[in-house]
Amino acid sequence: MNIVAFVVAFAIFVFGFWLFGLAFSVTSLMAPIFIGGILCVAVAMAIPFHLLRN
């Protein structure tokens, strides 16, 4: 379970950084895409803090 949670969290983390970069290359909806990146990174950090604390 720990490996699966790590892989999922890492994938969400990388996707969040991809959204950060995408936000600066699109012409519309920059703010929602950037906020989505922030939320993805926050969720990716919350997964190990809450699911893998033991």
Side-chain angles (χ1 to χ4, degrees), residues 5-6 9 13 41-54:
F6 172 77
F13 188 76
V41 171
V43 167
M45 297 303 288
I47 289 172
F49 291 156
H50 291 288
L51 292 180
L52 303 178
R53 80 176 106 164
N54 292 334

Side-chain angles (χ1 to χ4, degrees), residues 16 19-24 26 29-41:
L19 285 175
F20 287 151
L22 180 67
F24 291 105
V26 297
L29 299 174
M30 294 172 121
I33 293 173
F34 192 80
I35 292 170
I38 292 172
L39 292 175
C40 284
V41 171

